[in-house]
Amino acid sequence: MSRFFKPYEGNKPFLFISYSHRQSDLVVDSIRILHEQGWRLWYDEGIPAGSDWPSNIARHMEACGAVLFFLSGTALESPNCLSEIRTAARLRKPVLVLRLEDAEAGEQWDVLPPKEKHLTAAETPEGNAALILQSGFLKRRFHHRWTERIPWRALGLAASLLFFLSAAGAFAALATGRWSPFPAPERPGPTPTPTAAAATPPPTPPPVVDLGGNERFFAVSFPDSQQERAVRSALQMPEGEIQAWNLAELPSLFFCGNMVRKNLTGVSFREDGTCLVNSAPVIQGRVKDLSLMRDMLRLEELALICQPVSDLTDLNGLTLLKDLSLAGSPGVKLDGLSDLPSLTAIHLEHTGIRDLTPLETLPALKTVTVSRDMLPLRWSPDARFAVILIR
């Protein structure tokens, strides 16, 4: 079961969760316990990929009733976390600090509440959830009422469907003469003849269903939380089990640092190789294991920007892949690429690659984009692709 859950979206008071994505595993495991106990929580998994991130954060910060801040070294280095805490102070929202690490905040964090309002994290997510509950910070108004848990819309749809099926069945029976609203006259039946009791046959065993070893009907095990967030966002499945055949429906997937996006609008690079999204620096992502992508048979666009990936052999066999971006991923190796018959463009800016000859085996490749910090480069003059140099 996925550790991620659907954040609260509604007009009732809720708790805003501020944290660093590098601690997302521990944070989400801790707040999921509170979510399962009925507390209304919102964290940035509720922001659709490709949407205006700052405006979404500001809107939920204004609507929340209080803020829970998971303090760590990386959170104190995050401009997003600092902006959230400053906004909470400006709006006079109550803030509770749970210290995941013994890290000291700089002068710019003067808006943090005094240390008397800080809790030291426990060793387990269950312990963290218990600390937050025992602190008394969670007010009753943040908790779901029992009427909010009733799926009124689903019940209405089920009742309408049941009525429709019942009416259709009655109409069909009336039309075929199998049922009538008027009772039929009784007719005397033949006198039954006594017969020997027949032996009761043994019950027939249920048929055995053979799936033929097709792995596509098995649940997906995600190599990291970032890939899970990207797939769930692309499939619009915030919860529930994802099977391998679902992956074959994905036409595109974009990873940029620790974010997942629906397009690469707003992504740029400085001359020193720093990746920016809407002028804000991004944190390196965690996508390294690409084995999950072997089942994405319809994938046409893939971006692995600022990721620790190195081995690309799992991409072989994606016969529809046309555009591949590896910009800002310095450890990537090209010698694993061989079976990509539709690949026409590959982006290698700020990867540190010097040798492009492994790409000469790709039959449809037309353009290879590189940056000045990669010069000098080596490739065959007989190569069918053009090398594009950007600033």
Side-chain angles (χ1 to χ4, degrees):
M1 181 177 64
S2 168
R3 61 166 52 92
F4 294 97
F5 59 90
K6 186 176 181 180
Y8 175 75
E9 293 289 352
N11 54 8
K12 303 289 185 181
F14 61 89
L15 189 65
F16 184 102
I17 309 298
S18 178
Y19 67 104
S20 168
H21 276 240
R22 293 191 181 181
Q23 279 80 35
S24 61
D25 292 347
L26 175 60
V27 170
V28 175
D29 284 343
S30 300
I31 64 175
R32 184 180 183 88
I33 298 172
L34 301 177
H35 165 74
E36 292 173 350
Q37 294 177 359
W39 297 97
R40 303 188 198 98
L41 309 173
W42 188 91
Y43 63 123
D44 58 10
E45 288 301 319
I47 300 180
S51 64
D52 188 348
W53 192 282
S55 65
N56 268 285
I57 293 291
R59 177 167 57 86
H60 287 93
M61 180 66 73
E62 291 180 359
C64 75
V67 177
L68 173 60
F69 177 45
F70 286 83
L71 187 148
S72 65
T74 54
L76 294 175
E77 296 173 0
S78 169
N80 292 332
C81 290
L82 178 61
S83 175
E84 291 166 2
I85 297 304
R86 286 193 176 278
T87 302
R90 178 174 56 82
L91 298 175
R92 298 187 178 181
K93 303 287 184 178
V95 178
L96 176 66
V97 178
L98 183 65
R99 302 180 70 91
L100 300 178
E101 301 172 359
D102 189 14
E104 292 299 326
E107 295 180 356
Q108 70 273 29
W109 288 86
D110 57 348
V111 294
L112 276 177
K115 290 190 176 181
E116 291 78 11
K117 294 185 179 181
H118 293 202
L119 301 176
T120 301
E123 295 182 356
T124 63
E126 293 78 7
N128 289 336
L131 281 173
I132 296 169
L133 290 172
Q134 294 168 5
S135 70
F137 184 72
L138 294 180
K139 305 303 180 184
R140 188 68 184 170
R141 58 197 179 96
F142 299 152
H143 200 276
H144 283 290
R145 297 178 181 177
W146 68 270
T147 53
E148 295 181 50
R149 301 192 176 196
I150 300 177
W152 297 108
R153 184 175 181 181
L155 290 177
L157 292 174
S160 300
L161 180 61
L162 181 62
F163 175 78
F164 174 77
L165 293 177
S166 300
F171 179 78
L174 183 62
T176 58
R178 295 182 181 179
W179 174 80
S180 172
F182 306 104
E186 295 185 3
R187 297 180 180 179
T191 302
T193 302
T195 58
T200 303
T204 304
V208 177
V209 179
D210 184 9
L211 295 179
N214 195 339
E215 298 85 356
R216 296 182 183 280
F217 292 95
F218 290 90
V220 171
S221 177
F222 292 94
D224 55 74
S225 60
Q226 189 173 2
Q227 292 193 54
E228 181 176 0
R229 286 191 289 124
V231 171
R232 289 190 177 278
S233 175
L235 294 175
Q236 297 183 353
M237 293 178 61
E239 293 184 314
E241 187 177 84
I242 295 178
Q243 295 183 343
W245 64 267
N246 294 121
L247 301 180
E249 301 176 4
L250 298 175
S252 60
L253 212 56
F254 300 102
F255 298 92
C256 184
N258 64 338
M259 295 182 290
V260 296
R261 300 175 63 82
K262 288 191 175 179
N263 56 60
L264 297 181
T265 303
V267 178
S268 61
F269 281 87
R270 293 174 181 163
E271 291 188 4
D272 62 358
T274 302
C275 182
L276 308 173
V277 174
N278 296 327
S279 301
V282 303
I283 302 172
Q284 188 187 44
R286 60 178 62 189
V287 179
K288 185 175 183 180
D289 182 355
L290 305 183
S291 58
L292 188 71
M293 299 180 186
R294 288 179 293 189
D295 291 320
M296 301 180 185
L297 302 180
R298 297 183 184 176
L299 200 64
E300 296 184 10
E301 296 178 285
L302 175 63
L304 297 168
I305 300 175
C306 296
Q307 304 300 324
V309 63
S310 59
D311 186 3
L312 302 176
T313 54
D314 286 321
L315 299 183
N316 291 320
L318 299 182
T319 57
L320 300 182
L321 187 64
K322 298 178 181 178
D323 193 288
L324 175 62
S325 178
L326 303 169
S329 300
V332 70
K333 299 177 181 178
L334 298 179
D335 51 6
L337 293 178
S338 59
D339 186 17
L340 295 173
S342 299
L343 189 66
T344 59
I346 184 168
H347 305 267
L348 302 175
E349 303 94 300
H350 307 291
T351 57
I353 291 174
R354 296 289 191 271
D355 187 5
L356 303 181
T357 54
L359 300 178
E360 296 175 12
T361 61
L362 301 177
L365 188 62
K366 295 181 180 179
T367 61
V368 179
T369 308
V370 299
S371 53
R372 293 185 180 275
D373 59 307
M374 298 167 59
L375 299 178
L377 285 166
R378 183 178 64 187
W379 72 93
S380 170
D382 298 329
R384 292 182 293 269
F385 55 80
V387 178
I388 300 175
L389 180 65
I390 66 170
R391 296 187 61 182

